[in-house]
Amino acid sequence: MRRLSPFLIAIIFASFNFHTTPAQAVELKFSGPGGKIHGADISRWQHPNGKPINFTKMRNAGIDFVIIKASDSRDDADQMAVKYLKGDRKGAQEAGIHTGFYHYAILPNVTTRAAIERDARVQAQKVIWRISSIGGFNELDLPYALDIENTCIQVNSQRACTKYATRTNATIWSKTFLKTLKEKTGRTPLIYSSPHFLENSLKRDKELAQYPLWIAQYTIDPAKPGARPNVKPGGCFVHSWTTSQCSANWTMWQYSSCGIAPKYGVPGSRLDLNVFAGSQEKFESLKTGTWIPDPADEMPRGESSTITVTSYKATTSNKKVTINVDVKRPDSSAVVTGSVKYVFSDFNSSIPVVTQTVSRETSGTWKISIEGVPAGNWFGNVLFTDASGTHNEVLAPVDFTVLQGPTPTPSPTKKPVIKAATDGCKNQIKN
């Protein structure tokens, strides 16, 4: 075999890098409404039936940046985000589009400051592992964003919310999450929400206001002179980013959820569209700070776990059996991913048909409610599993006795209420 000269090797290596590494700088098109930098945001919903996005068409349509859903507090939604993350980031950057990322947050059902901060740090750990899984930030990456738009922390069996986080607790959680990300990655994350949520669900806070705002408000056309988000009948929304002129100090504005998806190479009919406030220099400043993860920052595989049943209650057959569970990592911190369920043992003479509801109280803590357990002595285990493979499976035995309760009276069958269809895109901008 002929040996290549060092000179030829250098040329080949340089050529390889040229084709696989995104460009250091990409000229922005400023083709959004009002001549602003134009962007989109995407998630699994832009992949109906697993269809890919044509990012070249998206770029040719004038999109300069795309924010990709990369993580979620809920494990099932998180796994769907992971499914498309790497492919979407690669496809977008190869087409010359900057990429950002966002985490959809579910707040914990806890009340002490220590427990709230602990949950925020655990969810931030998931994000840090996710950034690590794509090799850290590169020169076409924008910062991560915290998507906080929901303060429900407890639901009933009909999935209706029965308890909400206080404004104080939601603010503590948000600040802790954002601060953890900034300290670890060196980049200042954004916060995404609507002005209504910012006014009613978070406290006004100077520390929170230091993070760039990605605001969501529709029906206002950014192309019109003087158009701005944060307005409402009779004034403006008042929150941490409200200025003395009653406007919002926003960095990105999601102005429509009804963009014409096929126009931008996206399967389906709708696409979220955004504009950026400012110049290319301001846009480039978002990328200040670099972070390349080291091996210690990578998500572990098969990490050992310990499980503790903190309490359980079983009374009569007409009432639910409840079990409270904690699962921890080797350093006694909460597991980051995974969930629990109750598994009846084969030692039972029969396996009852029951309905289980698992609610996440906070990171690593769950409440299992089991409905329909007949009277008798029951044997089984609480099983912790993690579909991501981060933490090892572990179980704890829980045996309980249920006494015979009164036979419930069947409820009359209710006719389903058929709601009239509504147009979710009414009055929205359809670019």
Side-chain angles (χ1 to χ4, degrees), residues 315-318 374-376 402-407:
T315 55
T316 53
S317 57
N318 62 313
V402 174
L403 301 177
Q404 182 61 50
T407 302

Side-chain angles (χ1 to χ4, degrees), residues 92-335:
Q93 292 193 356
E94 287 180 346
I97 300 173
H98 290 80
T99 53
F101 315 96
Y102 73 91
H103 174 81
Y104 184 87
I106 300 293
L107 299 180
N109 186 10
V110 291
T111 56
T112 68
R113 185 183 186 103
I116 292 164
E117 291 177 341
R118 182 165 56 247
D119 182 84
R121 288 192 292 268
V122 171
Q123 290 201 44
Q125 179 64 69
K126 177 184 280 189
V127 170
I128 291 164
W129 282 344
R130 193 58 41 79
I131 302 170
S132 177
S133 74
I134 59 174
F137 292 121
N138 66 29
E139 59 271 18
L140 284 182
D141 283 328
L142 302 174
Y144 230 92
L146 166 63
D147 177 351
I148 182 164
E149 52 187 282
N150 176 18
T151 59
C152 180
I153 57 177
Q154 182 175 290
V155 297
N156 60 20
S157 57
Q158 285 75 46
R159 308 306 297 170
C161 189
T162 58
K163 185 179 180 182
Y164 294 88
T166 66
R167 286 158 56 100
T168 296
N169 290 351
T171 304
I172 291 171
W173 191 97
S174 300
K175 290 197 299 181
T176 304
F177 179 93
L178 293 164
K179 182 180 180 181
T180 303
L181 278 194
K182 183 176 181 179
E183 289 177 347
K184 182 63 179 180
T185 67
R187 288 199 182 186
T188 302
L190 292 84
I191 182 169
Y192 165 93
S193 201
S194 69
H196 181 272
F197 183 94
L198 297 173
E199 180 179 72
N200 293 282
S201 299
L202 296 176
K203 297 189 73 173
R204 296 182 70 182
D205 187 279
K206 290 183 178 180
E207 180 183 336
L208 202 57
Q210 295 174 7
Y211 296 96
L213 175 62
W214 176 13
I215 193 168
Q217 190 173 17
Y218 312 142
T219 75
I220 302 171
D221 190 350
K224 293 182 178 180
R228 55 192 175 95
N230 206 53
V231 297
K232 62 180 179 180
C236 64
F237 293 92
V238 178
H239 47 75
S240 298
W241 293 267
T242 303
T243 69
S244 58
Q245 289 77 38
C246 203
S247 60
N249 183 21
W250 61 275
T251 297
M252 292 181 185
W253 173 9
Q254 187 185 77
Y255 68 89
S256 178
S257 66
C258 295
I260 305 168
K263 172 182 174 181
Y264 301 96
V266 175
S269 58
R270 295 172 59 171
L271 178 67
D272 293 343
L273 294 175
N274 305 266
V275 288
F276 178 81
S279 65
Q280 176 151 354
E281 290 73 22
K282 184 177 178 181
F283 184 84
E284 295 292 337
S285 72
L286 287 179
K287 301 185 290 181
T288 302
T290 59
W291 180 64
I292 300 175
D294 58 40
D297 295 311
E298 296 178 3
M299 178 180 283
R301 296 289 298 178
E303 183 181 77
S304 62
S305 312
T306 57
I307 185 170
T308 303
V309 176
T310 56
S311 66
Y312 69 93
K313 183 179 181 180
T315 55
T316 53
S317 57
N318 62 313
K319 296 183 178 179
K320 297 177 183 179
V321 175
T322 59
I323 307 171
N324 294 286
V325 184
D326 283 346
V327 186
K328 297 187 180 299
R329 302 178 63 194
D331 63 0
S332 296
S333 63
V335 290

